[in-house]
Amino acid sequence: FPAKAPLRAVIDQRREAASGAPAGWPVRVSGDPLQPYVATLGDAPWTQDLPILLPRGRLASDAKGHAWWRANDGAAALPLANAPSGVARGADLEAAVAIWTGTRARLLAAQTSWGRIDGGA
């Protein structure tokens, strides 16, 4: 496929899971959320974007208006490419998934105590 990012797959059909219940989050992660990215760069240094799982944390904005994700244990903080809305800012995130671009994380979705939010929420 001639494009900046080669086409790897096409979703042909979308259906509900067999159980009908929403799929759960992957296994909870802890430690450095960028470790999978670093390991991938060792095998494929041309990697630009990689999905990462974020452990428990919060979304916030600093005094300059830049958005951040910060782990609850204070062990990690990542700059965000997309700013969280007022609803998501400060919420306790049980888990989250983002795309790490090498410099910023683009939040895709997060699980909170009141339910799932999308990256634009």
Side-chain angles (χ1 to χ4, degrees):
F1 183 81
K4 184 177 179 182
L7 180 64
R8 303 266 188 231
V10 175
I11 297 173
D12 181 43
Q13 295 178 4
R14 291 181 185 245
R15 296 181 295 218
E16 286 189 29
S19 67
W25 281 88
V27 175
R28 302 288 188 238
V29 295
S30 61
D32 184 3
L34 295 182
Q35 186 57 40
Y37 181 76
V38 172
T40 299
L41 286 181
D43 295 333
W46 53 83
T47 301
Q48 294 178 355
D49 299 341
L50 191 76
I52 57 172
L53 293 172
L54 302 173
R56 293 186 74 95
R58 293 188 182 271
L59 303 178
S61 297
D62 61 21
K64 294 184 179 181
H66 300 116
W68 291 82
W69 166 86
R70 183 174 187 267
N72 279 354
D73 63 6
L78 300 175
L80 296 175
N82 48 339
S85 71
V87 173
R89 208 173 348 210
D92 183 26
L93 306 180
E94 297 170 6
V97 64
I99 301 291
W100 181 250
T101 66
T103 58
R104 297 201 178 282
R106 189 172 69 248
L107 188 68
L108 299 177
Q111 183 68 36
T112 68
S113 57
W114 70 79
R116 198 170 286 179
I117 59 173
D118 70 10

Short mmCIF file of all heavy atoms in Angstrom, two decimals, residues 56-105:
data_model
loop_
_atom_site.label_atom_id
_atom_site.label_comp_id
_atom_site.label_asym_id
_atom_site.label_seq_id
_atom_site.Cartn_x
_atom_site.Cartn_y
_atom_site.Cartn_z
N ARG A 56 -2.31 2.73 36.87
CA ARG A 56 -3.15 3.69 37.59
C ARG A 56 -2.49 5.06 37.58
O ARG A 56 -1.29 5.18 37.79
CB ARG A 56 -3.38 3.25 39.02
CG ARG A 56 -4.21 1.99 39.14
CD ARG A 56 -4.51 1.68 40.58
NE ARG A 56 -5.50 2.60 41.10
CZ ARG A 56 -6.81 2.33 41.13
NH1 ARG A 56 -7.25 1.18 40.67
NH2 ARG A 56 -7.66 3.20 41.61
N GLY A 57 -3.30 6.07 37.32
CA GLY A 57 -2.75 7.42 37.30
C GLY A 57 -3.84 8.46 37.16
O GLY A 57 -5.03 8.17 37.33
N ARG A 58 -3.40 9.67 36.83
CA ARG A 58 -4.32 10.81 36.66
C ARG A 58 -3.91 11.63 35.46
O ARG A 58 -2.75 11.62 35.05
CB ARG A 58 -4.31 11.69 37.90
CG ARG A 58 -4.88 11.02 39.12
CD ARG A 58 -5.01 12.01 40.25
NE ARG A 58 -5.52 11.36 41.44
CZ ARG A 58 -6.80 11.22 41.74
NH1 ARG A 58 -7.71 11.68 40.93
NH2 ARG A 58 -7.18 10.62 42.84
N LEU A 59 -4.88 12.36 34.92
CA LEU A 59 -4.61 13.31 33.84
C LEU A 59 -4.65 14.71 34.44
O LEU A 59 -5.49 15.01 35.29
CB LEU A 59 -5.68 13.20 32.75
CG LEU A 59 -5.84 11.82 32.11
CD1 LEU A 59 -6.96 11.86 31.09
CD2 LEU A 59 -4.55 11.38 31.45
N ALA A 60 -3.74 15.56 33.98
CA ALA A 60 -3.69 16.92 34.50
C ALA A 60 -3.13 17.86 33.45
O ALA A 60 -2.59 17.42 32.43
CB ALA A 60 -2.82 16.97 35.75
N SER A 61 -3.27 19.13 33.70
CA SER A 61 -2.68 20.16 32.86
C SER A 61 -1.78 21.01 33.74
O SER A 61 -2.12 21.30 34.89
CB SER A 61 -3.75 21.04 32.22
OG SER A 61 -4.57 20.28 31.37
N ASP A 62 -0.61 21.41 33.20
CA ASP A 62 0.28 22.26 33.98
C ASP A 62 -0.08 23.74 33.80
O ASP A 62 -1.06 24.07 33.11
CB ASP A 62 1.75 21.98 33.63
CG ASP A 62 2.09 22.26 32.18
OD1 ASP A 62 1.37 23.02 31.52
OD2 ASP A 62 3.11 21.73 31.71
N ALA A 63 0.70 24.62 34.39
CA ALA A 63 0.40 26.05 34.35
C ALA A 63 0.41 26.62 32.94
O ALA A 63 -0.26 27.61 32.65
CB ALA A 63 1.41 26.81 35.22
N LYS A 64 1.15 25.99 32.03
CA LYS A 64 1.22 26.45 30.65
C LYS A 64 0.13 25.83 29.78
O LYS A 64 0.07 26.09 28.59
CB LYS A 64 2.59 26.15 30.05
CG LYS A 64 3.70 26.93 30.71
CD LYS A 64 5.02 26.67 30.03
CE LYS A 64 6.12 27.48 30.68
NZ LYS A 64 7.41 27.26 30.04
N GLY A 65 -0.70 24.98 30.36
CA GLY A 65 -1.78 24.35 29.62
C GLY A 65 -1.40 23.06 28.93
O GLY A 65 -2.20 22.49 28.20
N HIS A 66 -0.19 22.54 29.17
CA HIS A 66 0.22 21.26 28.60
C HIS A 66 -0.39 20.12 29.39
O HIS A 66 -0.45 20.17 30.62
CB HIS A 66 1.75 21.13 28.59
CG HIS A 66 2.42 22.19 27.80
ND1 HIS A 66 3.26 23.11 28.35
CD2 HIS A 66 2.36 22.48 26.48
CE1 HIS A 66 3.70 23.93 27.43
NE2 HIS A 66 3.16 23.58 26.27
N ALA A 67 -0.86 19.11 28.70
CA ALA A 67 -1.52 17.96 29.33
C ALA A 67 -0.50 16.88 29.68
O ALA A 67 0.45 16.64 28.93
CB ALA A 67 -2.58 17.40 28.40
N TRP A 68 -0.74 16.21 30.81
CA TRP A 68 0.15 15.16 31.30
C TRP A 68 -0.66 14.00 31.87
O TRP A 68 -1.75 14.18 32.39
CB TRP A 68 1.04 15.69 32.43
CG TRP A 68 2.04 16.68 31.97
CD1 TRP A 68 1.84 18.02 31.75
CD2 TRP A 68 3.40 16.42 31.65
NE1 TRP A 68 2.99 18.60 31.32
CE2 TRP A 68 3.98 17.65 31.25
CE3 TRP A 68 4.19 15.29 31.67
CZ2 TRP A 68 5.30 17.75 30.87
CZ3 TRP A 68 5.52 15.40 31.29
CH2 TRP A 68 6.05 16.61 30.90
N TRP A 69 -0.08 12.80 31.77
CA TRP A 69 -0.54 11.64 32.53
C TRP A 69 0.54 11.40 33.57
O TRP A 69 1.73 11.46 33.28
CB TRP A 69 -0.68 10.42 31.63
CG TRP A 69 -0.82 9.16 32.44
CD1 TRP A 69 -1.97 8.64 32.95
CD2 TRP A 69 0.23 8.31 32.89
NE1 TRP A 69 -1.69 7.52 33.68
CE2 TRP A 69 -0.35 7.30 33.66
CE3 TRP A 69 1.61 8.32 32.74
CZ2 TRP A 69 0.40 6.29 34.26
CZ3 TRP A 69 2.36 7.32 33.34
CH2 TRP A 69 1.74 6.31 34.08
N ARG A 70 0.13 11.12 34.81
CA ARG A 70 1.08 10.85 35.89
C ARG A 70 0.64 9.62 36.65
O ARG A 70 -0.53 9.49 37.01
CB ARG A 70 1.16 12.03 36.85
CG ARG A 70 2.18 11.84 37.94
CD ARG A 70 2.30 13.11 38.78
NE ARG A 70 3.38 12.99 39.71
CZ ARG A 70 3.24 12.57 40.96
NH1 ARG A 70 2.06 12.20 41.40
NH2 ARG A 70 4.27 12.50 41.77
N ALA A 71 1.56 8.70 36.88
CA ALA A 71 1.27 7.49 37.64
C ALA A 71 0.95 7.85 39.08
O ALA A 71 1.55 8.79 39.64
CB ALA A 71 2.46 6.53 37.59
N ASN A 72 0.03 7.12 39.69
CA ASN A 72 -0.34 7.39 41.08
C ASN A 72 0.83 7.22 42.03
O ASN A 72 0.90 7.90 43.05
CB ASN A 72 -1.50 6.48 41.52
CG ASN A 72 -2.83 7.01 41.06
OD1 ASN A 72 -2.93 8.10 40.51
ND2 ASN A 72 -3.87 6.23 41.27
N ASP A 73 1.75 6.31 41.72
CA ASP A 73 2.90 6.10 42.61
C ASP A 73 4.00 7.12 42.37
O ASP A 73 5.03 7.10 43.04
CB ASP A 73 3.43 4.68 42.48
CG ASP A 73 3.98 4.35 41.09
OD1 ASP A 73 4.05 5.25 40.24
OD2 ASP A 73 4.33 3.17 40.87
N GLY A 74 3.82 8.01 41.39
CA GLY A 74 4.80 9.06 41.10
C GLY A 74 6.03 8.57 40.35
O GLY A 74 6.96 9.33 40.13
N ALA A 75 6.03 7.31 39.92
CA ALA A 75 7.20 6.74 39.26
C ALA A 75 7.34 7.17 37.80
O ALA A 75 8.43 7.07 37.24
CB ALA A 75 7.16 5.21 39.33
N ALA A 76 6.26 7.64 37.18
CA ALA A 76 6.33 8.00 35.76
C ALA A 76 5.35 9.12 35.46
O ALA A 76 4.30 9.24 36.10
CB ALA A 76 6.02 6.78 34.89
N ALA A 77 5.71 9.93 34.49
CA ALA A 77 4.83 10.98 33.97
C ALA A 77 5.12 11.12 32.49
O ALA A 77 6.28 11.08 32.08
CB ALA A 77 5.06 12.30 34.69
N LEU A 78 4.06 11.24 31.69
CA LEU A 78 4.23 11.35 30.25
C LEU A 78 3.44 12.55 29.73
O LEU A 78 2.31 12.77 30.12
CB LEU A 78 3.71 10.09 29.55
CG LEU A 78 4.37 8.77 29.91
CD1 LEU A 78 3.65 7.62 29.21
CD2 LEU A 78 5.83 8.78 29.54
N PRO A 79 4.04 13.32 28.81
CA PRO A 79 3.30 14.40 28.18
C PRO A 79 2.26 13.83 27.22
O PRO A 79 2.50 12.82 26.57
CB PRO A 79 4.37 15.19 27.44
CG PRO A 79 5.45 14.21 27.17
CD PRO A 79 5.42 13.23 28.31
N LEU A 80 1.11 14.48 27.15
CA LEU A 80 0.03 14.03 26.27
C LEU A 80 -0.07 14.93 25.04
O LEU A 80 0.11 16.14 25.13
CB LEU A 80 -1.31 14.05 27.00
CG LEU A 80 -1.46 13.10 28.19
CD1 LEU A 80 -2.80 13.32 28.87
CD2 LEU A 80 -1.31 11.66 27.75
N ALA A 81 -0.37 14.31 23.91
CA ALA A 81 -0.58 15.06 22.68
C ALA A 81 -1.96 15.69 22.66
O ALA A 81 -2.15 16.75 22.08
CB ALA A 81 -0.40 14.15 21.47
N ASN A 82 -2.94 15.03 23.29
CA ASN A 82 -4.31 15.55 23.32
C ASN A 82 -4.65 15.95 24.75
O ASN A 82 -4.41 15.22 25.69
CB ASN A 82 -5.29 14.52 22.77
CG ASN A 82 -5.11 13.13 23.36
OD1 ASN A 82 -4.06 12.78 23.89
ND2 ASN A 82 -6.14 12.32 23.29
N ALA A 83 -5.21 17.13 24.91
CA ALA A 83 -5.54 17.64 26.23
C ALA A 83 -6.82 17.00 26.74
O ALA A 83 -7.80 16.91 26.01
CB ALA A 83 -5.70 19.15 26.18
N PRO A 84 -6.84 16.56 28.01
CA PRO A 84 -8.06 15.99 28.57
C PRO A 84 -9.10 17.07 28.82
O PRO A 84 -8.76 18.21 29.09
CB PRO A 84 -7.59 15.36 29.88
CG PRO A 84 -6.36 16.13 30.25
CD PRO A 84 -5.73 16.55 28.95
N SER A 85 -10.36 16.70 28.73
CA SER A 85 -11.44 17.64 29.02
C SER A 85 -11.57 17.81 30.53
O SER A 85 -10.94 17.09 31.31
CB SER A 85 -12.75 17.13 28.45
OG SER A 85 -13.20 16.02 29.20
N GLY A 86 -12.41 18.72 30.92
CA GLY A 86 -12.63 18.95 32.35
C GLY A 86 -13.14 17.72 33.06
O GLY A 86 -12.83 17.51 34.22
N VAL A 87 -13.90 16.88 32.38
CA VAL A 87 -14.44 15.66 32.98
C VAL A 87 -13.32 14.68 33.32
O VAL A 87 -13.30 14.09 34.39
CB VAL A 87 -15.46 14.98 32.03
CG1 VAL A 87 -15.89 13.64 32.56
CG2 VAL A 87 -16.64 15.89 31.80
N ALA A 88 -12.38 14.53 32.43
CA ALA A 88 -11.33 13.54 32.63
C ALA A 88 -10.17 14.07 33.48
O ALA A 88 -9.49 13.29 34.15
CB ALA A 88 -10.78 13.09 31.27
N ARG A 89 -9.95 15.37 33.47
CA ARG A 89 -8.82 15.94 34.21
C ARG A 89 -8.99 15.70 35.70
O ARG A 89 -10.03 16.02 36.28
CB ARG A 89 -8.75 17.44 33.93
CG ARG A 89 -7.39 18.01 34.04
CD ARG A 89 -7.37 19.43 33.59
NE ARG A 89 -8.65 19.72 32.93
CZ ARG A 89 -8.82 20.59 31.97
NH1 ARG A 89 -7.86 21.28 31.56
NH2 ARG A 89 -10.00 20.78 31.44
N GLY A 90 -8.01 15.10 36.30
CA GLY A 90 -8.05 14.82 37.72
C GLY A 90 -8.72 13.50 38.08
O GLY A 90 -8.67 13.09 39.23
N ALA A 91 -9.36 12.85 37.12
CA ALA A 91 -10.03 11.58 37.41
C ALA A 91 -9.00 10.51 37.74
O ALA A 91 -7.90 10.50 37.20
CB ALA A 91 -10.85 11.14 36.20
N ASP A 92 -9.37 9.62 38.64
CA ASP A 92 -8.50 8.49 38.98
C ASP A 92 -8.66 7.44 37.88
O ASP A 92 -9.72 6.86 37.72
CB ASP A 92 -8.89 7.92 40.33
CG ASP A 92 -7.98 6.80 40.77
OD1 ASP A 92 -6.81 6.77 40.34
OD2 ASP A 92 -8.43 5.95 41.56
N LEU A 93 -7.61 7.23 37.11
CA LEU A 93 -7.64 6.25 36.02
C LEU A 93 -7.14 4.91 36.55
O LEU A 93 -6.02 4.81 37.04
CB LEU A 93 -6.76 6.71 34.86
CG LEU A 93 -7.05 8.10 34.30
CD1 LEU A 93 -6.11 8.41 33.15
CD2 LEU A 93 -8.48 8.22 33.86
N GLU A 94 -7.96 3.90 36.44
CA GLU A 94 -7.57 2.57 36.86
C GLU A 94 -6.57 1.96 35.88
O GLU A 94 -5.68 1.22 36.26
CB GLU A 94 -8.80 1.68 37.00
CG GLU A 94 -9.75 2.18 38.08
CD GLU A 94 -11.08 1.47 38.07
OE1 GLU A 94 -11.25 0.49 37.31
OE2 GLU A 94 -11.96 1.89 38.83
N ALA A 95 -6.75 2.27 34.62
CA ALA A 95 -5.86 1.81 33.55
C ALA A 95 -6.14 2.68 32.34
O ALA A 95 -7.20 3.28 32.23
CB ALA A 95 -6.09 0.35 33.22
N ALA A 96 -5.18 2.75 31.43
CA ALA A 96 -5.37 3.54 30.22
C ALA A 96 -4.52 2.94 29.11
O ALA A 96 -3.53 2.25 29.35
CB ALA A 96 -4.99 5.00 30.45
N VAL A 97 -4.91 3.24 27.89
CA VAL A 97 -4.14 2.82 26.73
C VAL A 97 -3.88 4.07 25.89
O VAL A 97 -4.75 4.94 25.76
CB VAL A 97 -4.85 1.71 25.92
CG1 VAL A 97 -6.15 2.20 25.34
CG2 VAL A 97 -3.94 1.17 24.83
N ALA A 98 -2.67 4.16 25.36
CA ALA A 98 -2.28 5.33 24.58
C ALA A 98 -1.35 4.88 23.46
O ALA A 98 -0.84 3.76 23.44
CB ALA A 98 -1.56 6.34 25.48
N ILE A 99 -1.13 5.76 22.51
CA ILE A 99 -0.13 5.56 21.47
C ILE A 99 1.05 6.44 21.82
O ILE A 99 0.90 7.66 21.95
CB ILE A 99 -0.67 5.95 20.07
CG1 ILE A 99 -1.90 5.13 19.71
CG2 ILE A 99 0.42 5.83 19.01
CD1 ILE A 99 -1.64 3.67 19.45
N TRP A 100 2.22 5.85 22.02
CA TRP A 100 3.43 6.61 22.30
C TRP A 100 4.13 6.90 20.99
O TRP A 100 4.41 6.00 20.21
CB TRP A 100 4.34 5.85 23.25
CG TRP A 100 5.58 6.62 23.59
CD1 TRP A 100 6.85 6.32 23.19
CD2 TRP A 100 5.67 7.81 24.37
NE1 TRP A 100 7.72 7.25 23.69
CE2 TRP A 100 7.02 8.18 24.41
CE3 TRP A 100 4.74 8.60 25.04
CZ2 TRP A 100 7.48 9.31 25.10
CZ3 TRP A 100 5.18 9.72 25.72
CH2 TRP A 100 6.53 10.06 25.75
N THR A 101 4.39 8.18 20.73
CA THR A 101 5.00 8.60 19.46
C THR A 101 6.50 8.81 19.58
O THR A 101 7.14 9.20 18.61
CB THR A 101 4.37 9.92 18.97
OG1 THR A 101 4.70 10.96 19.90
CG2 THR A 101 2.86 9.80 18.84
N GLY A 102 7.04 8.57 20.73
CA GLY A 102 8.46 8.81 20.97
C GLY A 102 8.68 10.10 21.73
O GLY A 102 9.71 10.30 22.36
N THR A 103 7.69 11.00 21.69
CA THR A 103 7.78 12.26 22.43
C THR A 103 6.53 12.55 23.25
O THR A 103 6.61 13.24 24.25
CB THR A 103 8.01 13.45 21.48
OG1 THR A 103 6.95 13.52 20.53
CG2 THR A 103 9.34 13.32 20.76
N ARG A 104 5.38 12.06 22.81
CA ARG A 104 4.12 12.32 23.49
C ARG A 104 3.22 11.09 23.39
O ARG A 104 3.33 10.30 22.47
CB ARG A 104 3.40 13.50 22.87
CG ARG A 104 4.17 14.80 22.99
CD ARG A 104 3.25 15.99 22.84
NE ARG A 104 3.95 17.24 23.00
CZ ARG A 104 4.33 17.77 24.15
NH1 ARG A 104 4.08 17.15 25.26
NH2 ARG A 104 4.96 18.93 24.21
N ALA A 105 2.31 11.01 24.35
CA ALA A 105 1.31 9.94 24.34
C ALA A 105 -0.02 10.51 23.85
O ALA A 105 -0.42 11.58 24.28
CB ALA A 105 1.14 9.36 25.74
#
